[in-house]
Amino acid sequence: MLNWSKIDLAKAASVSVSTVLNLEGRDPERVSGGSAGAIRVALETAGVWFIQDDSEATGVMLCPR
């Protein structure tokens, strides 16, 4: 979607690459709420929208620019 590497995402969120790897599935329980929030903010700043509707459906989309 953004064509970012794990390193790019870690830099944008000011977290370690290990944190990104953990959040992506290696060990998500080890990621603090603050780090997860920083990653979300970095993605949103880059134009990613996180979507959830009343039916509990979730998804992401890239904001048109």
Side-chain angles (χ1 to χ4, degrees):
M1 184 177 284
L2 293 175
N3 202 29
W4 283 4
S5 69
K6 290 169 180 50
I7 294 169
D8 295 332
L9 178 55
K11 285 180 181 178
S14 298
V15 300
S16 69
V17 174
S18 292
T19 297
V20 173
L21 290 170
N22 284 337
L23 190 64
E24 286 185 336
R26 187 169 71 180
D27 195 1
E29 307 257 331
R30 295 191 65 197
V31 179
S32 72
S35 292
I39 290 170
R40 181 179 180 135
V41 167
L43 292 169
E44 289 174 338
T45 299
V48 174
W49 290 352
F50 291 85
I51 304 162
Q52 182 171 4
D53 65 21
D54 293 337
S55 68
E56 300 299 319
T58 59
V60 295
M61 68 180 283
L62 190 57
C63 174
R65 295 186 184 226

